[in-house]
Amino acid sequence: EHCQVIIKEITEKLRLSEKSSMELGAKLKEMTNLYEKADRDNKARAQDLVKMGNDMDRLKMANEVLTRDKGKLEDELKSLKMEFESLKKRFAEMERDNRKLSHER
């Protein structure tokens, strides 16, 4: 009879141990799935960061080209404005000379 009691106790302990093992296995599987999802998400984010870095470099180079072209255009505009002012001055002088000539006739 004493053996029967010991066998029942051992059987119950084994049952509880198996139940605990199954619960821990389920928890481990859940944690593994969460880890794998986080790992996939992190890899996707890393790829996005690399892509953003490449885009940023490309945009920086494009910006440098635009800045250079803007400088050239500003210089050209300045030159054209000076030429326009010179032509306006020359036109005014010619109009003045033309008025003088028409008064002299």
Side-chain angles (χ1 to χ4, degrees):
E1 194 178 299
H2 178 65
C3 287
Q4 296 272 342
V5 172
I6 291 176
I7 290 174
K8 281 184 180 179
E9 288 175 357
I10 291 175
T11 303
E12 181 62 18
K13 286 181 182 181
L14 181 61
R15 188 186 67 76
L16 291 175
S17 177
E18 285 177 348
K19 180 182 175 189
S20 176
S21 178
M22 288 177 64
E23 289 171 354
L24 287 173
K27 200 62 140 169
L28 177 62
K29 186 173 183 176
E30 179 184 343
M31 296 299 284
T32 300
N33 290 339
L34 288 173
Y35 169 79
E36 288 172 351
K37 182 185 182 316
D39 190 47
R40 283 191 306 272
D41 291 347
N42 284 335
K43 286 178 182 173
R45 281 193 200 109
Q47 287 176 338
D48 288 345
L49 286 175
V50 168
K51 184 180 176 199
M52 287 171 65
N54 292 339
D55 289 345
M56 196 169 75
D57 290 342
R58 199 169 21 260
L59 290 172
K60 182 181 177 190
M61 288 189 307
N63 188 42
E64 288 169 356
V65 168
L66 289 173
T67 300
R68 186 192 67 223
D69 291 348
K70 179 185 173 203
K72 287 180 184 177
L73 289 172
E74 285 173 341
D75 291 345
E76 189 177 335
L77 176 64
K78 190 176 179 180
S79 174
L80 288 171
K81 281 182 176 180
M82 287 172 35
E83 186 178 341
F84 179 66
E85 289 302 317
S86 173
L87 288 172
K88 278 186 1 185
K89 186 187 266 187
R90 201 166 137 216
F91 180 73
E93 289 171 358
M94 289 176 75
E95 269 194 336
R96 190 183 62 230
D97 291 346
N98 193 20
R99 268 189 254 118
K100 272 187 190 177
L101 285 174
S102 65
H103 282 296
E104 290 176 2
R105 291 186 198 165

